[in-house]
mmCIF file of all heavy atoms in Angstrom:
data_model
loop_
_atom_site.group_PDB
_atom_site.id
_atom_site.type_symbol
_atom_site.label_atom_id
_atom_site.label_comp_id
_atom_site.label_asym_id
_atom_site.label_seq_id
_atom_site.Cartn_x
_atom_site.Cartn_y
_atom_site.Cartn_z
ATOM 1 N N VAL I 103 -6.742 -7.022 -12.479
ATOM 2 C CA VAL I 103 -5.443 -6.377 -12.290
ATOM 3 C C VAL I 103 -4.290 -7.343 -12.520
ATOM 4 O O VAL I 103 -4.266 -8.440 -11.977
ATOM 5 C CB VAL I 103 -5.354 -5.779 -10.870
ATOM 6 C CG1 VAL I 103 -3.997 -5.152 -10.628
ATOM 7 C CG2 VAL I 103 -6.470 -4.772 -10.660
ATOM 8 N N ASP I 104 -3.328 -6.894 -13.324
ATOM 9 C CA ASP I 104 -2.080 -7.627 -13.522
ATOM 10 C C ASP I 104 -0.930 -6.957 -12.779
ATOM 11 O O ASP I 104 -0.041 -7.630 -12.259
ATOM 12 C CB ASP I 104 -1.723 -7.709 -15.010
ATOM 13 C CG ASP I 104 -2.691 -8.565 -15.794
ATOM 14 O OD1 ASP I 104 -3.090 -9.627 -15.291
ATOM 15 O OD2 ASP I 104 -3.053 -8.171 -16.919
ATOM 16 N N GLU I 105 -0.942 -5.636 -12.736
ATOM 17 C CA GLU I 105 0.117 -4.864 -12.076
ATOM 18 C C GLU I 105 -0.497 -3.644 -11.418
ATOM 19 O O GLU I 105 -1.443 -3.057 -11.952
ATOM 20 C CB GLU I 105 1.161 -4.376 -13.098
ATOM 21 C CG GLU I 105 1.880 -5.470 -13.848
ATOM 22 C CD GLU I 105 2.925 -6.183 -13.018
ATOM 23 O OE1 GLU I 105 3.338 -5.640 -11.963
ATOM 24 O OE2 GLU I 105 3.321 -7.281 -13.404
ATOM 25 N N VAL I 106 0.051 -3.228 -10.281
ATOM 26 C CA VAL I 106 -0.416 -2.016 -9.605
ATOM 27 C C VAL I 106 0.730 -1.460 -8.779
ATOM 28 O O VAL I 106 1.560 -2.201 -8.262
ATOM 29 C CB VAL I 106 -1.655 -2.270 -8.728
ATOM 30 C CG1 VAL I 106 -1.343 -3.239 -7.619
ATOM 31 C CG2 VAL I 106 -2.214 -0.986 -8.163
ATOM 32 N N GLY I 107 0.769 -0.151 -8.682
ATOM 33 C CA GLY I 107 1.774 0.481 -7.849
ATOM 34 C C GLY I 107 1.378 1.900 -7.542
ATOM 35 O O GLY I 107 0.506 2.475 -8.202
ATOM 36 N N PRO I 108 2.004 2.477 -6.533
ATOM 37 C CA PRO I 108 1.706 3.870 -6.214
ATOM 38 C C PRO I 108 2.280 4.786 -7.287
ATOM 39 O O PRO I 108 3.347 4.514 -7.838
ATOM 40 C CB PRO I 108 2.414 4.079 -4.869
ATOM 41 C CG PRO I 108 3.533 3.090 -4.881
ATOM 42 C CD PRO I 108 3.015 1.908 -5.656
ATOM 43 N N SER I 109 1.582 5.860 -7.581
ATOM 44 C CA SER I 109 2.106 6.859 -8.500
ATOM 45 C C SER I 109 3.136 7.681 -7.740
ATOM 46 O O SER I 109 2.900 8.099 -6.612
ATOM 47 C CB SER I 109 0.980 7.763 -8.988
ATOM 48 O OG SER I 109 1.518 8.877 -9.676
ATOM 49 N N LEU I 110 4.266 7.927 -8.350
ATOM 50 C CA LEU I 110 5.323 8.701 -7.709
ATOM 51 C C LEU I 110 5.351 10.145 -8.206
ATOM 52 O O LEU I 110 6.298 10.872 -7.938
ATOM 53 C CB LEU I 110 6.677 8.021 -7.931
ATOM 54 C CG LEU I 110 6.768 6.598 -7.378
ATOM 55 C CD1 LEU I 110 8.153 6.015 -7.633
ATOM 56 C CD2 LEU I 110 6.433 6.557 -5.903
ATOM 57 N N ARG I 111 4.292 10.551 -8.868
ATOM 58 C CA ARG I 111 4.215 11.921 -9.363
ATOM 59 C C ARG I 111 4.137 12.927 -8.215
ATOM 60 O O ARG I 111 4.737 13.989 -8.268
ATOM 61 C CB ARG I 111 3.012 12.069 -10.282
ATOM 62 C CG ARG I 111 2.947 13.406 -10.946
ATOM 63 C CD ARG I 111 1.884 13.443 -12.001
ATOM 64 N NE ARG I 111 2.031 14.656 -12.775
ATOM 65 C CZ ARG I 111 1.355 14.921 -13.856
ATOM 66 N NH1 ARG I 111 0.491 14.039 -14.301
ATOM 67 N NH2 ARG I 111 1.527 16.036 -14.490
ATOM 68 N N PHE I 112 3.358 12.604 -7.183
ATOM 69 C CA PHE I 112 3.175 13.513 -6.054
ATOM 70 C C PHE I 112 3.545 12.872 -4.715
ATOM 71 O O PHE I 112 3.156 13.364 -3.669
ATOM 72 C CB PHE I 112 1.720 13.983 -5.988
ATOM 73 C CG PHE I 112 1.251 14.644 -7.249
ATOM 74 C CD1 PHE I 112 0.284 14.037 -8.039
ATOM 75 C CD2 PHE I 112 1.764 15.862 -7.666
ATOM 76 C CE1 PHE I 112 -0.158 14.629 -9.210
ATOM 77 C CE2 PHE I 112 1.327 16.467 -8.843
ATOM 78 C CZ PHE I 112 0.361 15.851 -9.611
ATOM 79 N N ALA I 113 4.257 11.742 -4.745
ATOM 80 C CA ALA I 113 4.583 11.032 -3.512
ATOM 81 C C ALA I 113 5.868 10.238 -3.691
ATOM 82 O O ALA I 113 6.380 10.105 -4.800
ATOM 83 C CB ALA I 113 3.435 10.089 -3.141
ATOM 84 N N THR I 114 6.360 9.691 -2.590
ATOM 85 C CA THR I 114 7.491 8.770 -2.636
ATOM 86 C C THR I 114 7.021 7.440 -2.053
ATOM 87 O O THR I 114 5.996 7.377 -1.381
ATOM 88 C CB THR I 114 8.689 9.288 -1.808
ATOM 89 O OG1 THR I 114 8.298 9.411 -0.445
ATOM 90 C CG2 THR I 114 9.185 10.623 -2.346
ATOM 91 N N ALA I 115 7.768 6.392 -2.314
ATOM 92 C CA ALA I 115 7.401 5.072 -1.794
ATOM 93 C C ALA I 115 8.669 4.300 -1.463
ATOM 94 O O ALA I 115 9.721 4.529 -2.060
ATOM 95 C CB ALA I 115 6.583 4.300 -2.824
ATOM 96 N N SER I 116 8.566 3.391 -0.521
ATOM 97 C CA SER I 116 9.647 2.467 -0.195
ATOM 98 C C SER I 116 9.203 1.084 -0.629
ATOM 99 O O SER I 116 8.097 0.663 -0.306
ATOM 100 C CB SER I 116 9.919 2.467 1.307
ATOM 101 O OG SER I 116 10.347 3.739 1.726
ATOM 102 N N VAL I 117 10.063 0.383 -1.333
ATOM 103 C CA VAL I 117 9.720 -0.930 -1.867
ATOM 104 C C VAL I 117 10.444 -2.000 -1.060
ATOM 105 O O VAL I 117 11.632 -1.897 -0.796
ATOM 106 C CB VAL I 117 10.113 -1.034 -3.357
ATOM 107 C CG1 VAL I 117 9.806 -2.416 -3.903
ATOM 108 C CG2 VAL I 117 9.393 0.041 -4.158
ATOM 109 N N LYS I 118 9.692 -3.026 -0.635
ATOM 110 C CA LYS I 118 10.266 -4.178 0.051
ATOM 111 C C LYS I 118 10.034 -5.393 -0.830
ATOM 112 O O LYS I 118 8.889 -5.767 -1.073
ATOM 113 C CB LYS I 118 9.597 -4.399 1.407
ATOM 114 C CG LYS I 118 9.931 -3.353 2.431
ATOM 115 C CD LYS I 118 9.334 -3.719 3.761
ATOM 116 C CE LYS I 118 7.966 -3.074 3.836
ATOM 117 N NZ LYS I 118 7.244 -3.383 5.049
ATOM 118 N N LYS I 119 11.105 -5.983 -1.317
ATOM 119 C CA LYS I 119 10.981 -7.174 -2.142
ATOM 120 C C LYS I 119 10.589 -8.350 -1.264
ATOM 121 O O LYS I 119 11.117 -8.523 -0.173
ATOM 122 C CB LYS I 119 12.292 -7.475 -2.861
ATOM 123 C CG LYS I 119 12.177 -8.616 -3.830
ATOM 124 C CD LYS I 119 13.437 -8.778 -4.629
ATOM 125 C CE LYS I 119 13.248 -9.937 -5.594
ATOM 126 N NZ LYS I 119 14.407 -10.127 -6.437
ATOM 127 N N MET I 120 9.635 -9.148 -1.720
ATOM 128 C CA MET I 120 9.153 -10.293 -0.954
ATOM 129 C C MET I 120 9.668 -11.576 -1.609
ATOM 130 O O MET I 120 9.742 -11.665 -2.829
ATOM 131 C CB MET I 120 7.629 -10.305 -0.925
ATOM 132 C CG MET I 120 7.030 -8.998 -0.418
ATOM 133 S SD MET I 120 7.604 -8.524 1.199
ATOM 134 C CE MET I 120 6.475 -9.441 2.183
ATOM 135 N N THR I 121 9.997 -12.562 -0.784
ATOM 136 C CA THR I 121 10.439 -13.861 -1.288
ATOM 137 C C THR I 121 9.646 -14.952 -0.586
ATOM 138 O O THR I 121 9.201 -14.783 0.546
ATOM 139 C CB THR I 121 11.944 -14.092 -1.025
ATOM 140 O OG1 THR I 121 12.186 -13.990 0.367
ATOM 141 C CG2 THR I 121 12.791 -13.079 -1.764
ATOM 142 N N ARG I 122 9.482 -16.061 -1.237
ATOM 143 C CA ARG I 122 8.788 -17.194 -0.633
ATOM 144 C C ARG I 122 9.697 -17.870 0.382
ATOM 145 O O ARG I 122 10.891 -17.957 0.202
ATOM 146 C CB ARG I 122 8.390 -18.215 -1.693
ATOM 147 C CG ARG I 122 7.266 -17.753 -2.555
ATOM 148 C CD ARG I 122 6.649 -18.963 -3.259
ATOM 149 N NE ARG I 122 5.610 -18.530 -4.140
ATOM 150 C CZ ARG I 122 4.339 -18.401 -3.787
ATOM 151 N NH1 ARG I 122 3.972 -18.674 -2.567
ATOM 152 N NH2 ARG I 122 3.437 -18.003 -4.639
ATOM 153 N N THR I 123 9.099 -18.367 1.441
ATOM 154 C CA THR I 123 9.856 -19.137 2.421
ATOM 155 C C THR I 123 9.527 -20.609 2.247
ATOM 156 O O THR I 123 8.439 -20.963 1.787
ATOM 157 C CB THR I 123 9.515 -18.693 3.859
ATOM 158 O OG1 THR I 123 8.112 -18.868 4.066
ATOM 159 C CG2 THR I 123 9.886 -17.242 4.098
ATOM 160 N N ARG I 124 10.430 -21.465 2.626
ATOM 161 C CA ARG I 124 10.226 -22.901 2.451
ATOM 162 C C ARG I 124 9.349 -23.510 3.534
ATOM 163 O O ARG I 124 8.804 -24.574 3.361
ATOM 164 C CB ARG I 124 11.570 -23.623 2.408
ATOM 165 C CG ARG I 124 12.358 -23.252 1.179
ATOM 166 C CD ARG I 124 13.576 -24.139 1.062
ATOM 167 N NE ARG I 124 14.372 -23.720 -0.068
ATOM 168 C CZ ARG I 124 14.363 -24.355 -1.231
ATOM 169 N NH1 ARG I 124 13.635 -25.423 -1.401
ATOM 170 N NH2 ARG I 124 15.102 -23.916 -2.218
ATOM 171 N N ASN I 125 9.198 -22.842 4.670
ATOM 172 C CA ASN I 125 8.419 -23.439 5.756
ATOM 173 C C ASN I 125 6.933 -23.167 5.627
ATOM 174 O O ASN I 125 6.179 -23.483 6.527
ATOM 175 C CB ASN I 125 8.947 -22.969 7.112
ATOM 176 C CG ASN I 125 8.825 -21.466 7.288
ATOM 177 O OD1 ASN I 125 8.284 -20.782 6.433
ATOM 178 N ND2 ASN I 125 9.359 -20.959 8.383
ATOM 179 N N GLY I 126 6.497 -22.551 4.521
ATOM 180 C CA GLY I 126 5.078 -22.408 4.244
ATOM 181 C C GLY I 126 4.376 -21.279 4.953
ATOM 182 O O GLY I 126 3.162 -21.214 4.958
ATOM 183 N N ASP I 127 5.129 -20.350 5.567
ATOM 184 C CA ASP I 127 4.443 -19.254 6.265
ATOM 185 C C ASP I 127 4.193 -18.049 5.364
ATOM 186 O O ASP I 127 3.950 -16.956 5.836
ATOM 187 C CB ASP I 127 5.197 -18.853 7.532
ATOM 188 C CG ASP I 127 6.536 -18.186 7.240
ATOM 189 O OD1 ASP I 127 6.945 -18.164 6.068
ATOM 190 O OD2 ASP I 127 7.167 -17.704 8.188
ATOM 191 N N GLY I 128 4.273 -18.237 4.066
ATOM 192 C CA GLY I 128 3.955 -17.142 3.146
ATOM 193 C C GLY I 128 5.182 -16.411 2.675
ATOM 194 O O GLY I 128 6.119 -17.021 2.189
ATOM 195 N N PHE I 129 5.185 -15.093 2.823
ATOM 196 C CA PHE I 129 6.268 -14.274 2.326
ATOM 197 C C PHE I 129 6.997 -13.607 3.474
ATOM 198 O O PHE I 129 6.408 -13.265 4.489
ATOM 199 C CB PHE I 129 5.716 -13.178 1.410
ATOM 200 C CG PHE I 129 5.288 -13.687 0.075
ATOM 201 C CD1 PHE I 129 4.013 -14.180 -0.109
ATOM 202 C CD2 PHE I 129 6.156 -13.671 -0.992
ATOM 203 C CE1 PHE I 129 3.618 -14.642 -1.336
ATOM 204 C CE2 PHE I 129 5.762 -14.141 -2.227
ATOM 205 C CZ PHE I 129 4.493 -14.620 -2.404
ATOM 206 N N THR I 130 8.287 -13.418 3.292
ATOM 207 C CA THR I 130 9.073 -12.650 4.249
ATOM 208 C C THR I 130 9.927 -11.665 3.477
ATOM 209 O O THR I 130 10.302 -11.937 2.340
ATOM 210 C CB THR I 130 9.996 -13.569 5.088
ATOM 211 O OG1 THR I 130 10.834 -14.305 4.197
ATOM 212 C CG2 THR I 130 9.203 -14.516 5.948
ATOM 213 N N PRO I 131 10.226 -10.510 4.064
ATOM 214 C CA PRO I 131 11.076 -9.554 3.361
ATOM 215 C C PRO I 131 12.451 -10.157 3.096
ATOM 216 O O PRO I 131 12.998 -10.875 3.930
ATOM 217 C CB PRO I 131 11.189 -8.372 4.328
ATOM 218 C CG PRO I 131 10.046 -8.527 5.262
ATOM 219 C CD PRO I 131 9.774 -10.000 5.344
ATOM 220 N N GLU I 132 12.998 -9.857 1.930
ATOM 221 C CA GLU I 132 14.317 -10.340 1.576
ATOM 222 C C GLU I 132 15.352 -9.416 2.208
ATOM 223 O O GLU I 132 15.264 -8.200 2.086
ATOM 224 C CB GLU I 132 14.470 -10.337 0.055
ATOM 225 C CG GLU I 132 15.795 -10.881 -0.419
ATOM 226 C CD GLU I 132 15.843 -10.932 -1.931
ATOM 227 O OE1 GLU I 132 16.257 -9.931 -2.537
ATOM 228 O OE2 GLU I 132 15.448 -11.960 -2.492
ATOM 229 N N THR I 133 16.332 -9.991 2.893
ATOM 230 C CA THR I 133 17.392 -9.213 3.523
ATOM 231 C C THR I 133 18.690 -9.467 2.780
ATOM 232 O O THR I 133 19.118 -10.617 2.663
ATOM 233 C CB THR I 133 17.567 -9.620 5.005
ATOM 234 O OG1 THR I 133 16.317 -9.463 5.665
ATOM 235 C CG2 THR I 133 18.622 -8.764 5.677
#
Side-chain angles (χ1 to χ4, degrees):
V103 178
D104 293 319
E105 299 285 343
V106 63
S109 169
L110 300 181
R111 186 171 191 172
F112 303 113
T114 61
S116 297
V117 178
K118 290 185 268 178
K119 186 173 181 178
M120 306 304 275
T121 58
R122 288 198 183 270
T123 59
R124 293 189 184 258
N125 62 4
D127 69 352
F129 286 87
T130 57
E132 182 176 89
T133 304

